[in-house]
Amino acid sequence: MYKVGIVGPARSVERMLHHAKEFESNLSFVGYPYNIVNETTDILEKHHSNVDFWLFSGYMPYKIAQQSKHFSKDRMEYIFITGDMFYRGVLEISHEIGRLAKNVSIDTLHVPEESFFDEIIDLDKILDHVYIKRFMAKTSIAEIIEHHMALWKEQKIDSVITVYPTVEEKLKEMGIPVCLVSPHSQAIYHTLQLFSEKIQTFYYKETQTTTLVVQIKNFDFIKMANQNGYGIHFLQLNMKKIVLQICEKIDGYLIEESNGRFVIFSSRGIVERNINAIFEMIDRLSAETEQPVVVGIGHASTVYYAENYAHHAMQHLMEKGTQGIVVMQEDGAMTEIVQGSSQISYTSRVQDKKLIEQLQETSISGKMFAKIEAIMNELKVEAFSAKMLAKELNMTERNAQRIISELTMVELIEYCGEESRNSRGRPAKLYKLCK
């Protein structure tokens, strides 16, 4: 049973724990209330080893949690704020002051990925004046309080709606009518339900069957060089020792095949957490054999398919002629992992009929085109040259120019400009993917 830590102000944590009781058959919950939101990182530091997942009362503690070395997007979630919560706040504060609140000061955290801010602005259509203070996670409480106080002293507002419990407490002490916006029961329950499903997906992913195929390239050449005496046998023993050490680290089961190939069966979660150790194994095997080493990893629901995907991934690397790791999943998604660099993910399957027809007129595979798209998205660039493409695809510039030429012919890539490399020489042509 996974343990979920709930972080937020005491009142919010209490409400969330109350609703979490319905999910206790699969999960256990423990509350970690704070007095000020900046205590979030201290809570994570102190209790990270006791908790599997974290649920935050709002975006603010979630944002601050991102500063922690223990932050994990897959293991964390927060309760979303919606625009109707602010409308409810207007009704509550109107009830408190005995009349319709017509001039309101609102503070809200700046959350780029949420759209509720437009709904808050629409309050101006039913109220006389709405003053909005958008603050960042690093904004001090004093600054937010000062903003509301200044408007109150200038008699521009008759009430305040805040998302910050500490601001609510301070303004109440000053006699300023204030309402705290907090997620309602439906929002809490909905988030708990989604988070529970996310945890189940995570469990499936963690325990998914994984196969690693380790291949020392040019092994026949190694055998030819060591055909006299016992050199090849000692080399194979040293190779097996290196592979066994990584096998032990990932709780794997090892099968030694012929011609410098090893197959390891394990689970996805522990393999993904030990990618750096797998790269160390590659480096050690390469140094021992003086040959490149490739590792294909397959994730699937059965051992048969996991091994099949691992062989496909390994073969992809063999064709590229490079050393490294490629991962293939059941949905056909492939991920190329380069040591000390970012990962590139793309699909090996094409399900767009028009795209298939266009690519059939070229020598470019769907997998190659998907990889080019993935690289450009990863680099966050719109325009690229043949030289840039050649570097990213680890090929000659001439090959890259051929690919660009063929994709331009079928209108999957289009010419978009030029780039001057230096004072001499012709400028490089720039291209972009057609949308």
Side-chain angles (χ1 to χ4, degrees), residues 101-116:
K102 295 185 177 181
N103 303 288
V104 181
S105 178
I106 298 174
D107 63 55
T108 179
L109 185 67
H110 180 65
V111 187
E113 56 264 44
E114 293 191 11
S115 59
F116 65 81

Side-chain angles (χ1 to χ4, degrees), residues 1 26 87 255 324 330:
M1 181 178 286
N26 299 317
Y87 283 80
I255 295 177
E330 282 182 304

Side-chain angles (χ1 to χ4, degrees), residues 79-313:
I79 307 292
F80 289 81
I81 289 179
T82 57
D84 65 318
M85 296 178 187
F86 292 89
Y87 283 80
R88 188 184 69 178
V90 171
L91 290 175
E92 290 182 1
I93 200 67
S94 297
H95 175 74
E96 183 179 323
I97 63 178
R99 65 182 187 281
L100 178 63
K102 295 185 177 181
N103 303 288
V104 181
S105 178
I106 298 174
D107 63 55
T108 179
L109 185 67
H110 180 65
V111 187
E113 56 264 44
E114 293 191 11
S115 59
F116 65 81
F117 184 70
D118 293 335
E119 297 178 53
I120 299 174
I121 294 175
D122 285 343
L123 276 170
D124 201 30
K125 296 176 181 178
I126 59 175
L127 304 177
D128 291 345
H129 296 96
V130 177
Y131 302 90
I132 301 174
K133 168 71 172 177
R134 298 185 78 177
F135 61 91
M136 310 298 288
K138 61 183 180 181
T139 305
S140 68
I141 299 172
E143 181 182 331
I144 300 169
I145 294 172
E146 183 61 35
H147 168 79
H148 295 307
M149 282 181 57
L151 292 170
W152 176 260
K153 288 177 180 178
E154 294 170 11
Q155 297 184 343
K156 291 183 176 180
I157 59 171
D158 50 34
S159 55
V160 173
I161 296 175
T162 181
V163 295
Y164 212 145
T166 309
V167 173
E168 180 203 28
E169 293 172 12
K170 296 295 182 183
L171 293 180
K172 277 187 174 180
E173 291 173 5
M174 299 173 191
I176 300 175
V178 58
C179 174
L180 175 68
V181 169
S182 59
H184 48 65
S185 297
Q186 186 179 1
I188 294 173
Y189 181 82
H190 181 63
T191 303
L192 282 166
Q193 194 172 36
L194 291 176
F195 195 40
S196 175
E197 292 172 4
K198 181 178 179 178
I199 291 171
Q200 289 178 34
T201 303
F202 181 88
Y203 172 76
Y204 168 75
K205 182 179 173 181
E206 278 278 296
T207 56
Q208 199 174 16
T209 301
T210 290
T211 302
L212 288 79
V213 177
V214 182
Q215 177 69 59
I216 289 84
K217 298 177 74 173
N218 308 317
F219 196 72
D220 286 335
F221 173 79
I222 297 173
K223 288 195 293 185
M224 288 289 292
N226 293 273
Q227 61 181 340
N228 297 321
Y230 291 90
I232 187 65
H233 300 291
F234 286 118
L235 178 63
Q236 287 177 311
L237 284 172
N238 289 337
M239 287 162 46
K240 189 170 183 179
K241 178 181 178 182
I242 293 169
V243 177
L244 273 172
Q245 287 172 339
I246 191 66
C247 193
E248 181 182 27
K249 195 173 185 68
I250 62 173
D251 292 333
Y253 176 79
L254 174 65
I255 295 177
E256 183 179 5
E257 296 187 347
S258 59
N259 287 333
R261 180 176 295 181
F262 301 88
V263 179
I264 304 172
F265 299 96
S266 184
S267 59
R268 179 171 180 170
I270 195 167
V271 168
E272 290 183 340
R273 288 192 293 273
N274 286 281
I275 286 294
N276 289 335
I278 296 171
F279 271 114
E280 289 175 11
M281 175 199 69
I282 291 173
D283 291 340
R284 290 178 63 196
L285 283 173
S286 185
E288 184 72 32
T289 61
E290 298 181 350
Q291 295 295 332
V293 178
V294 297
V295 175
I297 299 177
H299 300 312
S301 54
T302 66
V303 172
Y304 173 80
Y305 285 111
E307 185 175 2
N308 192 21
Y309 296 145
H311 279 286
H312 276 297

